Amino acid sequence: MVSKQIVSFEEFMEQVRSYITVPEDLKRIEEAYEEAKTLHQNQKRKSGEPYINHVLWVAFFLSELETSPNTIIAGLLHDVIEDCEVSKEDLAKQYGEDVANLVEGVTKVKRLEQNVSEQLAETHRKIYISMAKDIRVIVIKLADRLHNMRTLDYMSPEKQKRIAKETLNVYAPIAHRLGINDIKTELEDLSLSYLCPDEYLEITQMIESSKLKREEAVDLMIEAIGHLMKLENIPCKITGRAKSIYSIYKKVFEKHRPFSEIYDLYAIRVITETKLNCYEVLGIIHDHYRPIPGRFKDYIAMPKPNMYQSLHTAVVGELGNIFEVQIRTFEMDAVAERGIAAHFKYKEGKSLSPKQEQKQIEDKLQWFREFVSVSGEQTDTSDSKEFFETLKHDIFDANVYVLTPAGKIVELPSGSTPVDFAYRIHTEVGNSTVGAIVNGVMVPLSTQLHTGDVVEMKTSKKHQEPSEDWLKFVKTANAKSKIRSSVQKRLNENREERIEAGRHLLKEEINKRGLDEKLYLSAKPYDTYFGVLTVKDFDGLLFSIGSKALTVHHIFEVIQIERKPVSEIDKIIDRKATNAQMHPDGINVEGLSGLKVSLSKCCSPIPGDDIIGYISKGEGVKVHRVDCPNVNSEASLKRLISVSWDKRALMNHQFECEVMILADDRPMLLSDIASTLGQMKISIRNLDVKVKDASAMFHLTVMINNAESIKLMTANLMKVSNIYEVKRVIN
Ligand code: MN
């Protein structure tokens, strides 16, 4: 990475020749340099140096990333449209469309930046959009920004702060996102030095004061580990690693950790040849130095979203210091330092056209383009802040990289589901999705995807109906808007049809139940339940039935349960039993005497239960529990009569009571039940046992005094192991 501020043309060309050898390309680069020199000849930087130094530095930086000849030429000419009144057409004529487009892209970003003040977020958004069009523009822009940050001293304090802030908020995250780590680190450190100069100074002084001690410890550790690797014959390169000032700042000043606790100050990196070597190195280091628990991370098996791979661990070093150790292959190291740049490194001979090159890179950023196109419809400035937050989130927060069965990488924001994946592939795929297979296993559509997952969608030609429920879990703006529009369209198209279908289904059920068709095909019986059923009106109800969102059965259940009879029963119960007659069975019947009274068999009421009488045809008064469904029908309302228990008459009286016991079957279970009841002196009248698989169901008729005794019996039975439910039976 370029550490010098000023680069000579000779140094620059030497670097270029190290990977570009085609004479024609070299000639074009030299021409571009001469042209830039002439065009900028009367211009000076704020520092007083000739302007050409700036563009040469930018181009040198790009050559260090081994970018293509066109990118380097664009780097040399990146300021000429803006500063030298050269037109895009002129550039196109001389250097081709590709170079002209790149320079124009950089110029656009620059112009937008100059109008930052008010509409910060909006400006940034436009910057991103222009970036999305060509990633090489971003890389040139990053180089430009890095050099400007290095020479920011010559600007006014106000401008310094503004540019530093923008760099920290926008450019450093972009560098991180693209995985260009050293640029990210330097941009952050430089920004911090302008934004928080005091803290910056404090940290650098702390680092400086511990420098000698630290270097000594690091050197010792490098030597010791190097020795171990030699013994094991593992090829490797070991380096000490400086911790970025910004990362220390965040820990010390934002997370309030003491400076002395920041382990990472002692850090080394072991770079080796193969993945296997990495794990071997890890094993050897853990074998010789005590690892710190919880500090090991395997980013080789689980790469970071920006493709970073490494093993991280922390161990106690030779002198008792804690060392952070990174272990990776040379290839991983290149990706870690150069990120996306490592992927689009220019290769001669394997000639990709600018278009192909661009396509490759754009594929990586496809999610981003799509994001821009989706939100383009609704971006007024009022929402720009929120938009910017979302955008920042979508770009910089961890993304996941999943694979199609054919091995194509698809990038999605983290938290994305197979449905997001489907819509990313194609709207048609999303709309016809019926299932998803992740890593060979059928999973729910709401499953969150992880980097490395292989995702295969199950689609159906007949089924073109994305479910509204998907909106609850999809992550991408694209999937959301596609589902919404499809659902909306479908609803509007079929509304009338569905209402008719609903009416038909309702009518069928009404006839089946022998209900009054005129009444039940109107809003009246349902209108107080529209809220409960989450429909707006009767048409809405029919629509829900017609679209299978509600069943008629369920609707009838709702209006049945919520109907009034229970409270009517309450009224009857509340009426004072003035002329109550005592009955031999211990039942008082309000205002009536000489009636035959019996306890109903269906719910077997016992003293303590709330009861109600039902005047049956020819069988006198039948006594039910008030919650017995057999008396809770409209038809029975008129025949209900208040009844009550006569406690005096009921002492020592025993009643039949049916109970059901559910249990996981085991040996001796029945005899344990019998002895529990025996201890309570409860006799069993009848017993029926059903065992299926491992579960047992006991149906007992017992003789019992009152509801209190039942409670006690239930409690005792529940103590018997394997029994999980005891309940009274209503037939
Ligand atoms: Mn510039």
Side-chain angles (χ1 to χ4, degrees), residues 45 51 54-55 58 75 78-79 83 106 110 140-141 143-145 147-148:
R45 297 277 286 175
Y51 203 91
H54 168 66
V55 296
V58 168
H78 80 267
D79 278 329
D83 298 342
V106 176
K110 193 172 172 188
I140 296 170
K141 216 27 230 175
D144 181 44
R145 178 52 64 112
H147 192 246
N148 288 339

Side-chain angles (χ1 to χ4, degrees), residues 410-460:
V410 175
E411 186 173 10
L412 293 163
S414 75
S416 290
T417 63
V419 176
D420 293 290
F421 172 87
Y423 279 101
R424 168 65 43 80
I425 299 297
H426 199 280
T427 305
E428 271 318 291
V429 177
N431 284 343
S432 58
T433 286
V434 291
I437 295 170
V438 173
N439 303 326
V441 180
M442 194 84 171
V443 299
L445 289 173
S446 59
T447 306
Q448 291 204 354
L449 297 174
H450 299 285
T451 292
D453 285 347
V454 178
V455 187
E456 189 183 344
M457 300 311 296
K458 288 263 153 221
T459 57
S460 156

